[in-house]
Structure formats: structure tokens, C-alpha cells
Amino acid sequence: MSEVYDVIIVGAGPAGLGAALYTARDRLKTLILEKFMPGGQIVTTDRIENYPGIERIDGARLVAQMQKQVESFGAEFKTGCEVTKLEKLKDGNIAIYCDKDKLTARVVILAPGSIYRKLGVPGEEEFAGSGVSYCGTCDAPFFKGKNVVSVGGGNTAVEETLHLTKYAAKVTIIHRRDEFRASRVLIEELLAKANEPNSNLLVKYSTIATAIQGQGKVQSVKLKDVKTNKEEDYPCDGVFIFIGMVPNTGFLKGFVDLTDRGFIKCDCAYLRTKVRGVFVAGDCRVGAAMQLATAVGDGIVAAMMLKQYFRDPNWWNEPVSDLLQPGGW
Amino acid sequence: MESLTKETFSQKVFNYEQNKEWKFEGELPCIIDFYADWCGPCKMVEPVLQELIEEYQGKLNIYRINTQYEQELAAAFGIQSIPSLLFVPLDDKPQMAVGALPKNSIKKAIDEVLKVSEN
């Protein structure tokens, strides 16, 4: 029989790495499964300025440091490994099916993260990869000297739009509301850029994209002013979509409870799912703030709480209580 | 993983200056990874491809093309998003897959598009 891990963490993004740092430091036998290589969505970010204690860093470098730190305490990584199924065993352990392997753990922390949300408009699928992109840092150089439209109003949208202005001849950011949802500091930077003389950045509020159009390549996007309902064909060569993320939880259907939108249901304090011994951390859970620091924090919460489960498996069904002081263990 | 230049691409994959119709120059099916150093998802795909090189040794080749330096090759294939993986079978037209694919999906494409089974 194959060995039983104390903890298997599904996903090596910030949540999974945060969890692994704590479990490995507790000398728990820890394995992290990742279908690509460690990092998750954060590796596509070229500027992180909101992770406390680090003034500015790119996602790939931060993740490399996190991985090195986690490995130094003995956690094992298995990359290129896509989890397809989980199963609660009669002895209380959990089986994880990954490619042809069946792995077993006393506790599982689910941290599969999230993937790009799509607009769901005509033309989006057709032009994906040939004019429609979800990663400004990856694809901006292919639009050097061209006109692009970026869609969204959160932190990622604003950061990626600013990145696009370094390459494109003209960038138009459209947002469905009449104010951005990004951090104030980013909004200020965006508006300052738009207000520069001869700026290549244009901001359009209260505007949505209803179709992406072209013959063989993107030639325009159909824009609609949501206040006046007026539509226009807006010429462009590319459309960058940054409208948030959806949880990457399809493989968990039937194992844990999911919301209608696919987020994993949990108690939101100790991060317990309905399955004993299965915790959740990061963007994939209900109530997630979808931030780097909160994902890391989630991983740490799960790593702290699993010790309580090891001490008393019946704790799983107990309500959230102020009697539990994990710091004192 | 071998990086292709325009010259080695012409010798090993397709000489698009001499041929208008697709004509594969290789002896084994291949996968070509269009990437750039600035691209995070490309870095996530690379170790997966390295593993596949071992797993399919002698049955297929896996190459890379750095789109930053080989802009003509990138333009020839209309690359506007990376990573993009080109699956080139022996006797059929190549198929492009855009985005970072998990290992299972790449293996499925190796099986279905390249008609190659694992060692």
C-alpha cells in the first residue's frame, strides 16, 4: 500500500503555498499537487504592490521565493499532475486521483484557484488567441502600435490596461459602471495617464461590449452605452478581457458542496467543507476576497485548523466558537 | 528543449519561403511551443513539456520558438497570444492550441492529433 500523507494540497498558488509553509514547518508530511508549475494566476501579474512588506515585485519572482521557502522545510511538489477525482475512504483518509496515480492523505486542502471569467459575447470564442486575450502582460507586445480595447474595472483591469499603454498606439478601457472598482491609487494612476497631453489612453464609463467582430481577425467591437442604450462599432485590433475570475472547481462536483457559481461552500472561519478532513483555501471558496494576501491567509488558516482536526476528528461538526485558540497549541 | 530559429524551423518543420502548401520536413511528429520570457503562463507550461520529452522519447520532438526574437516566425503563424502550442502530425495539417494546457490535455492532443502513444 502506498504511503499516507498527513496533508495533500491541491493547487500550488499562493493559498496552497501558504498552507504548505505552515504544515511543512509543523513537520507534517506534505505533498502539493499542481497541474502546471507552482504559482497559479499570480504569475501573470507583473506588478504586485499590495502584499504587505514587499514594496513591489512581479508574480513569478514572488512565487519562486515562496516555493523555495516551502521546499526548504521539506514539502514535496508533484507538478504536471491534474487531479480528476477525490474520494472519502472508509478509514477516514481521502483518496486523490491524479493522472494514473492514487494518492492518500489524512487531510486535504483544496486550493485549485480560479480561471479567467469570459465575457460571453459573440466573437469571443472565435477570436480567442487571435485578437482576444485575457493576459495583458503575456500578449501586449503582439499589439505594438495597434488599437486595443480593454474591458473591466477592477485592479487587474487597471494594471493590465496601464501595461498595454506601453505597447499599443491607443488603448480604450471600457467599464460597465460609472466608476472603477480598483484601488484608489490605481484609479488615480489610470486617470492621470488618460489626462496626459496626447495620451494614448481613453476611458469610457457605463459601456459594455456586446460583440467582437471581424473577418479572420478582430476589426471592431460593438459597444453599448448602458445609460443611453446607444450602440457603436468601435474599430480595434484586439480586445483584452479582465472581468474577474471563476473558481476552478469543476472536478469537485459531487465531492464537496458548490454554490451555483461554482465556489466551494465552507464555514468561512475554519475553512471546513462538508467532507471531514477536507479544507478549502483561496479564490475557490465562497466569500473569497480574491486577493494574493487573503489567499495566503486562507492557506495558513486551513493549516492551523487541521491540527485541531487531528486532535479531535469530531471537532469537524462543531460550530465556530471563540473557545478555539489555535495560537495556543 | 531545442529552440528553433527561422533557419532551423525551415529545415526541421516547414520551409514556408519555398512551399506555399504545408509540407512537413521532420521525421517525427512534433510540438512547437511559442513563448516569451515575459510570459508567466509560458513558464508554467515549460516543465510539463520537459516531462513529455522524457515520456515520449524517440516518438516525437518538442521545440520552442521565442516570439521575442523570432518575430517573423510568430507572425507567419499569426501568433497574438502566448503560450501557443502547434501540434504537427506526420501526415496531416498542424493544429494550434492557444493558452496554457494542462498535461492531460497535451497528452490527449498527442494521442489524437499526432497519433502517438506513450512509451
Side-chain angles (χ1 to χ4, degrees), chain A residues 44 149 223:
Chain A
T44 65
V149 169
L223 299 183

Side-chain angles (χ1 to χ4, degrees), chain B residues 5-17 25:
Chain B
T5 60
K6 186 184 166 191
E7 190 185 348
T8 52
F9 180 85
S10 300
Q11 292 160 1
K12 297 184 178 194
V13 184
F14 173 48
N15 190 330
Y16 58 90
E17 287 179 330
E25 305 286 349

Side-chain angles (χ1 to χ4, degrees), chain A residues 102-120:
Chain A
K102 180 183 171 186
L103 303 156
T104 313
R106 296 167 67 198
V107 156
V108 167
I109 299 174
L110 299 171
S114 53
I115 49 179
Y116 305 118
R117 180 187 297 282
K118 295 190 171 172
L119 263 180

Side-chain angles (χ1 to χ4, degrees), chain A residues 72-258:
Chain A
S72 74
F73 291 106
E76 296 172 40
F77 282 80
K78 188 171 166 60
T79 54
C81 159
E82 189 174 12
V83 173
T84 49
K85 197 176 101 175
L86 292 97
E87 185 184 15
K88 181 79 178 170
L89 302 174
K90 282 185 182 150
D91 62 6
N93 291 333
I94 298 130
I96 298 171
Y97 296 86
C98 170
D99 297 329
K100 288 173 189 160
D101 296 331
K102 180 183 171 186
L103 303 156
T104 313
R106 296 167 67 198
V107 156
V108 167
I109 299 174
L110 299 171
S114 53
I115 49 179
Y116 305 118
R117 180 187 297 282
K118 295 190 171 172
L119 263 180
V121 301
E124 183 179 17
E125 292 284 336
E126 181 188 348
F127 294 112
S130 54
V132 171
S133 172
Y134 303 87
C135 179
T137 47
C138 306
D139 299 337
F142 298 111
F143 293 85
K144 201 172 177 181
K146 298 191 172 175
N147 293 339
V148 300
V149 169
S150 101
V151 185
N155 283 344
T156 303
V158 172
E159 282 170 358
E160 295 278 71
T161 299
L162 286 165
H163 184 75
L164 282 165
T165 61
K166 296 176 195 165
Y167 297 90
K170 183 182 168 192
V171 182
T172 305
I173 179 169
I174 65 163
H175 182 41
R176 61 188 168 141
R177 302 173 196 277
D178 51 14
E179 62 177 346
F180 289 105
R181 292 183 146 196
S183 299
R184 261 335 294 177
V185 68
L186 287 171
I187 298 171
E188 285 164 14
E189 193 179 338
L190 184 87
L191 297 181
K193 175 77 186 167
N195 288 328
E196 284 174 2
N198 303 316
S199 174
N200 67 342
L201 174 62
L202 180 69
V203 178
K204 278 180 177 277
Y205 295 104
S206 307
T207 302
I208 59 171
T210 57
I212 298 164
Q213 306 166 129
Q215 299 284 328
K217 59 179 182 175
V218 171
Q219 289 170 311
S220 69
V221 57
K222 192 176 271 296
L223 299 183
K224 182 179 174 185
D225 184 315
V226 293
K227 288 188 173 166
T228 62
N229 283 332
K230 199 179 155 193
E231 286 192 315
E232 64 173 319
D233 282 337
Y234 196 78
C236 65
D237 305 297
V239 181
F240 285 77
I241 299 165
F242 312 112
I243 54 167
M245 312 296 290
V246 289
N248 185 23
T249 54
F251 69 102
L252 295 168
K253 266 183 203 159
F255 180 65
V256 289
D257 283 343
L258 303 177

Side-chain angles (χ1 to χ4, degrees), chain B residues 26-90:
Chain B
E27 289 172 1
L28 291 175
C30 71
I31 300 172
I32 301 169
D33 171 26
F34 289 87
Y35 79 105
D37 292 335
W38 64 68
C39 160
C42 301
K43 290 182 185 132
M44 299 177 88
V45 172
E46 187 194 346
V48 173
L49 296 177
Q50 292 287 6
E51 286 178 14
L52 292 170
I53 288 174
E54 300 287 324
E55 291 169 26
Y56 290 88
Q57 207 165 29
K59 292 189 167 182
L60 59 86
N61 291 315
I62 302 183
Y63 303 117
R64 317 184 78 188
I65 291 177
N66 188 325
T67 57
Q68 185 180 5
Y69 302 120
E70 301 299 334
Q71 293 182 11
E72 188 181 318
L73 280 176
F77 283 91
I79 301 291
Q80 284 190 309
S81 191
I82 50 174
S84 284
L85 295 176
L86 188 69
F87 292 86
V88 187
L90 273 183

